[in-house]
Amino acid sequence: MRRLGSTRRRGRANRLVAVGVACGAALAALTVPEAVARPLAQEDAGRTSGSRAEAGRDAVAREAAPVSQGWTGPGRGSAHWAVKDTGTPQTRFRGLAAVDRHTAWLAGTGGTVLRTTDGGTHWRNVSPPGAAGLEFRDVQAFDARRAVVLAIGEGEASRVYRTDDGGTTWTESFRNTDPKAFYDCLAFFDRRHGLALSDPVDGRFRILATADGGRSWRVLPADGMPPALDGEAGFAASGQCLVTSGPKDAWLATGGGAHARVLHSADRGLTWTAAGTPVPAADPAKGVFALAFRDRAHGLAVGGDYRPGQSSPEAAAVTADGGRTWRPATTPPPAYRSGAAWLPHSRTAALAVGPTGTDLTTDGGRSWRTIDTGSYDTVTCTPDLSCWAAGEQGRVARLER
């Protein structure tokens, strides 16, 4: 990445402060002041940076801190999901990638890809030509022009497309030719390096890797992957069954087997270790559906039983050691949840979403409370204090106050 001159740095810091005034209050209204923490880069009390950009981020957190302490539901002066009209009520969006509070990408059924650059007021249909028969379940956006989308399914239904011009044109960069493979989700470490996850092939999860931003892909060797359990698979429910943190750490979530597991790689997918979680499994509809890591040590797992009307006890877990061990939430969400995201610049607050509502934790995932009953499949938050959610019937929302 190019180094920015001092003028560029001052501009970025000023923009971060301005954004914090506009939307920091909405995030602070979700949680208590103690949940608004310093950026992770400044957690070391002995470290001094002198960076104007970091000073800007601190200013954002300070703007957010004094505001109301609780989610009070939709209404004047309260934080709430503000639904944005996408004009696509027939589409279910399980793929969501927000760049900031203005720009977001959606990937959904019927080969649909949408993009907004004005905070959701207007959406442009930028779907790849000829993709109407595909099921897009995940999207990674680098900015307003560059994005990668994943189509799921058996055999050639699993594909990857990339655009460099805001969706005006797309290049198909991968098409699965193995009838035994079924790709579920993808995740990137940076603008160049990323992975995609397939259900087990010949007894092991298959990992696809890119080192050029998704322009080309290769299947990684399987010898570094532990054997899969009988019936074990990933869930293409929210684009969050595979997540990353930092330059090399990745985690994948499983279900369907005797145990719901989380597998961790510290070398960009070459080798993996598996750990059991307390989230119930032992059924094709049960397991961990989504992961969220705020750094390489602290993570959340949410899931349950996705079948409507089925109970989902112990549907959340937490880790503080990079996924080596997992503890059940003391007060888990009351039902199945398919997506999760940490609130930006917080070490303790996060959101979980599912078809029956949104839950908030302010203690790092140990306890959750329902704050909204709208249906969403996936959620994401951005460094400029913006959170977005998406789901069925073309439903997309941004956190506002």
Side-chain angles (χ1 to χ4, degrees), residues 60 73 170-171 198 211 239 269 300 327 336 347 352-353 384 395:
V60 171
W170 292 87
T171 300
S198 167
L300 308 169
R327 305 187 312 276
Y336 156 71
R347 289 179 286 181
V353 300
D384 69 347
R395 188 176 174 89

Side-chain angles (χ1 to χ4, degrees), residues 232-321:
E232 192 175 27
F235 292 106
S238 61
Q240 295 175 323
C241 63
L242 176 68
V243 299
T244 63
S245 179
K248 293 185 177 181
D249 286 279
W251 296 263
L252 66 89
T254 82
H259 306 284
R261 302 194 298 173
V262 173
L263 279 64
H264 171 237
S265 172
D267 54 12
R268 290 185 183 156
L270 293 176
T271 60
W272 298 80
T273 57
T277 76
V279 176
D283 185 283
K286 296 180 180 179
V288 176
F289 282 71
L291 300 169
F293 276 77
R294 67 171 176 83
D295 55 36
R296 68 189 310 264
H298 299 87
L300 308 169
V302 299
D305 188 329
Y306 73 78
R307 292 170 296 192
Q310 297 298 310
S311 63
S312 292
E314 300 179 325
V318 298
T319 182
D321 57 12

